[in-house]
Amino acid sequence: MSFMDIYDRMCFTVSSAGGRRGAQMGTFDIGHPDAMDFIRAKRENGRLRAISGDPLEGLDTDAEALVVDRDGRAYVIADDELHLAVFRDQASVGALHRILPGDLPAQKRARKKHKPDLETLFLLPSVTASRGRGAALVTFGSGSRENRCNGVLIPLDADGEPAGTPCRFDLTPMYEPLSASLGESNIEGAFVIGDQLVLLNRSVADRSDNAAVRYPLRRLHDLLEGHRSPMA
């Protein structure tokens, strides 16, 4: 930001001398440590006056992001991405960890069609013996389409870093009975409380209901083990 301030003052000084106004555009890589300062600076009176535009103007914010905060780390996932972002503190640049294979189209409409629609992210305090010990993160697809009925378990090591290979598992045994009961699955939140898993379903027009659905936590462990029996 120090150089951005210098360029701004230089352009403003030249403009003040008369004649043609200066024109500048300032950009930051989103991973740069000063990126958030740049966004805030454009909202400060008298700062970056000669740099045009708003850093957030025209930003595509259709994607939704889910965040888990644990031991000073922030874990972030977006519904149209195949990676988990981990921010170790407020100053460090985040690191991306792939959790699903393949690539998504860059074109907006095609990307929306093919995205995994990961709408939940929550901490699972312990993992079944076959998956190893320790905590893990879990993300669920929304279930709103056939390609959105997958979950991913992301093991964490003792320091809270993603460790090992993420495990993709099928949510169809859970979502099919849920859709039959509610009219349509559109899961947009989930959390673990005690020995229960709670899913939050958001209504879609008149085709389904808003609902908080509770399952025994062991049902999630069954899914992780590949059990296929329907879960009413």
Side-chain angles (χ1 to χ4, degrees), residues 66-71 73 75 84 120-127 134-140 152-157 159-161 190-194 196-198 217 220-221 224:
L66 296 309
V67 181
V68 167
D69 184 9
R70 179 178 185 251
D71 297 333
R73 280 181 170 81
Y75 305 93
L84 173 79
T120 76
L121 184 65
F122 60 93
L123 183 70
L124 186 63
S126 61
V127 185
L137 294 169
V138 178
T139 180
F140 284 2
V152 183
L153 179 136
I154 308 156
L156 301 177
D157 65 19
D159 295 323
E161 289 293 309
F191 57 92
V192 172
I193 180 168
Q196 292 193 318
L197 170 67
V198 182
L217 188 55
L220 174 56
H221 291 301
L224 292 172

Side-chain angles (χ1 to χ4, degrees), residues 156-173:
L156 301 177
D157 65 19
D159 295 323
E161 289 293 309
T165 303
C167 169
R168 180 164 57 177
F169 57 96
D170 186 13
L171 289 166
T172 303

Side-chain angles (χ1 to χ4, degrees), residues 86-214:
V86 181
F87 296 86
R88 295 170 181 82
D89 52 56
Q90 294 184 356
S92 301
V93 176
L96 292 178
H97 299 264
R98 178 174 282 276
I99 62 171
L100 287 171
D103 295 292
L104 292 172
Q107 199 274 334
K108 184 176 179 179
R109 181 173 295 181
R111 191 178 189 90
K112 183 176 182 179
K113 179 180 179 180
H114 294 285
K115 69 179 183 178
D117 205 27
L118 301 173
E119 294 280 3
T120 76
L121 184 65
F122 60 93
L123 183 70
L124 186 63
S126 61
V127 185
T128 53
S130 64
R131 298 293 177 192
R133 298 179 179 178
L137 294 169
V138 178
T139 180
F140 284 2
S142 67
S144 58
R145 293 181 182 176
E146 186 176 351
N147 63 316
R148 299 174 179 181
C149 292
N150 290 305
V152 183
L153 179 136
I154 308 156
L156 301 177
D157 65 19
D159 295 323
E161 289 293 309
T165 303
C167 169
R168 180 164 57 177
F169 57 96
D170 186 13
L171 289 166
T172 303
M174 178 178 284
Y175 282 177
E176 279 189 346
L178 190 61
S179 295
S181 175
L182 298 177
E184 186 173 329
S185 294
N186 186 30
I187 302 302
E188 296 208 351
F191 57 92
V192 172
I193 180 168
D195 62 353
Q196 292 193 318
L197 170 67
V198 182
L199 302 186
L200 306 178
N201 190 78
R202 183 171 68 88
S203 67
V204 180
D206 297 324
R207 303 193 302 271
S208 62
D209 299 322
N210 290 317
V213 185
R214 293 174 179 262

Side-chain angles (χ1 to χ4, degrees), residues 23-71:
Q24 293 192 111
M25 179 179 71
T27 63
F28 265 81
D29 186 282
I30 192 62
H32 192 285
D34 289 348
M36 289 306 299
D37 289 337
F38 176 50
I39 292 172
R40 296 188 191 102
K42 283 296 295 180
R43 289 162 170 76
E44 295 178 19
N45 290 331
R47 194 175 184 193
L48 301 189
R49 292 171 292 177
I51 294 179
S52 302
D54 186 325
L56 299 182
E57 184 178 355
L59 183 66
D60 182 356
T61 56
D62 283 351
E64 296 185 11
L66 296 309
V67 181
V68 167
D69 184 9
R70 179 178 185 251
D71 297 333

